[in-house]
């Protein structure tokens, strides 16, 4: 699909076909496309309209390498020595989960080769702690989702990740963040190596009720 055709996708088509794309080409992304992603992210709402999202696009190979090391530690801890987390879920077959974990492993091995790693941060104007981060996260995730939708519409693959960000002090050191800023999401972005496709979600009848919860 050409970029122009992709940008003509309707909003619902974008939302329903926006899988986490982890296998990405190392081909460079034009800078104006990267800036457009951040502009799209910044259109999202924030609590009290604080607009305190801050976005770092990492292209420097040394910095990417250091982030890749943090991600490796996070993924290894998540997957565990016995490859736990690999069983199926009620809504995801073991086969599909295995495929996802393989993609997570691919991303772990290749993160430093992905052309752009975008870090969604927030600025708090005072020293930030984990309680503040937890309270405020709702103001950065709408921007992350906007970015993911914009990437899909532009024919770029992306995935929201957090495993690399467990050690905030290490992230702050690598990205030169002041003590008033924190990192919430790391989004590798590139041209996809695989195919875009529909997401698979629980049926709406399972997850909604009118007027109050009933079983
Ligand atoms: C808060 C959050 C944290 C996530 N962290 C990671 C991560 O660290 N690594 C990763 O590969 N994917 C991560 N994901 C992506 C999810 O695994 C993915 O969205 C989910 O499996 C659904 O995938 P699909 O949209 O392709 O169906 C994260 C997603 C969210 C919303």
């Amino acid at each position: 699909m050409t970029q122009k055709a992709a940008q003509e996708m309707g909003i619902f088509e974008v939302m329903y076909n926006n899988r986490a794309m982890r296998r990405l080409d190392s081909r460079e992304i034009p800078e104006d496309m990267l800036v457009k992603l951040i502009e799209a992210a910044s259109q999202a709402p924030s609590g009290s309209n604080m607009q305190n999202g801050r976005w770092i696009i990492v292209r420097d190979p040394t910095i990417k390498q250091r982030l890749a090391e943090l991600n490796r530690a996070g993924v290894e801890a998540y997957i565990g020595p016995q490859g736990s987390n690999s069983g199926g879920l009620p809504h995801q077959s073991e086969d599909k989960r295995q495929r996802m974990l393989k993609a997570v492993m691919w991303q772990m091995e290749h993160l430093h080769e992905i052309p752009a790693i975008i870090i969604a941060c927030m600025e708090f104007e005072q020293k930030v702690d984990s309680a503040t981060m937890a309270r405020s996260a709702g103001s950065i995730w709408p921007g992350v989702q906007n970015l993911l939708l914009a990437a899909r519409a532009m024919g770029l693959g992306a995935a929201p990740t957090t495993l690399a960000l467990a050690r905030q002090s290490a992230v702050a050191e690598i990205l030169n963040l002041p003590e008033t800023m924190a990192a919430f999401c790391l989004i590798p972005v590139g041209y996809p190596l695989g195919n875009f496709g529909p997401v698979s979600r629980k049926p709406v009848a399972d997850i909604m009720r009118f007027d109050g919860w009933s079983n």
Side-chain angles (χ1 to χ4, degrees):
M1 187 185 287
T2 64
Q3 192 187 318
K4 184 165 186 299
Q7 279 171 340
E8 287 166 3
M9 288 169 74
I11 182 70
F12 288 100
E13 199 185 351
V14 173
M15 283 192 285
Y16 286 44
N17 289 277
N18 206 5
R19 286 205 289 241
M21 300 297 280
R22 297 186 178 87
R23 291 187 170 90
L24 303 173
D25 199 282
S26 55
R27 186 158 46 110
E28 213 172 286
I29 301 172
E31 190 164 301
D32 60 335
M33 288 176 78
L34 293 171
V35 173
K36 185 75 189 167
L37 291 178
I38 307 306
E39 199 178 54
S42 75
Q43 305 309 302
S46 56
S48 302
N49 195 22
M50 292 302 283
Q51 303 192 26
N52 44 4
R54 301 290 182 269
W55 305 85
I56 298 174
I57 303 174
V58 177
R59 295 181 296 188
D60 179 281
T62 310
I63 303 175
K64 285 197 286 185
Q65 187 70 53
R66 294 187 69 195
L67 292 172
E69 281 159 22
L70 287 187
N71 186 59
R72 176 179 293 278
V75 171
E76 283 175 352
Y78 169 72
I79 295 200
Q82 274 83 44
S84 52
N85 283 308
S86 57
L89 297 172
H91 56 273
Q92 188 181 39
S93 68
E94 188 165 344
D95 176 52
K96 275 198 172 157
R97 193 149 184 87
Q98 285 291 345
R99 265 187 276 152
M100 184 188 88
L101 289 172
K102 269 198 183 145
V104 170
M105 298 301 281
W106 187 96
Q107 187 186 58
M108 180 181 85
E109 298 297 347
H110 297 271
L111 192 62
H112 61 289
E113 296 161 7
I114 289 172
I117 300 178
I118 300 179
I119 324 290
C121 303
M122 291 182 79
E123 163 61 50
F124 292 95
E125 288 169 8
Q126 58 185 20
K127 192 171 176 198
V128 60
D129 55 33
S130 50
T132 310
M133 278 184 73
R135 258 198 322 275
S136 313
S139 285
I140 192 69
W141 286 97
V144 171
Q145 181 64 10
N146 264 15
L147 190 156
L148 297 171
L149 294 171
R152 177 67 191 87
M154 292 161 71
L156 294 170
T161 83
T162 50
L163 289 172
L165 306 179
R167 286 178 52 222
Q168 280 287 318
S169 57
V171 179
E173 204 258 311
I174 293 169
L175 297 176
N176 193 33
L177 302 183
E179 61 180 16
T180 55
M181 274 176 74
F184 287 79
C185 185
L186 179 152
I187 310 152
V189 182
Y191 294 99
L193 288 173
N195 294 324
F196 288 113
V199 299
S200 159
R201 298 290 186 257
K202 293 180 183 176
V204 72
D206 289 2
I207 60 159
M208 72 157 276
R209 301 289 182 271
F210 287 104
D211 301 325
W213 196 256
S214 57
N215 285 314

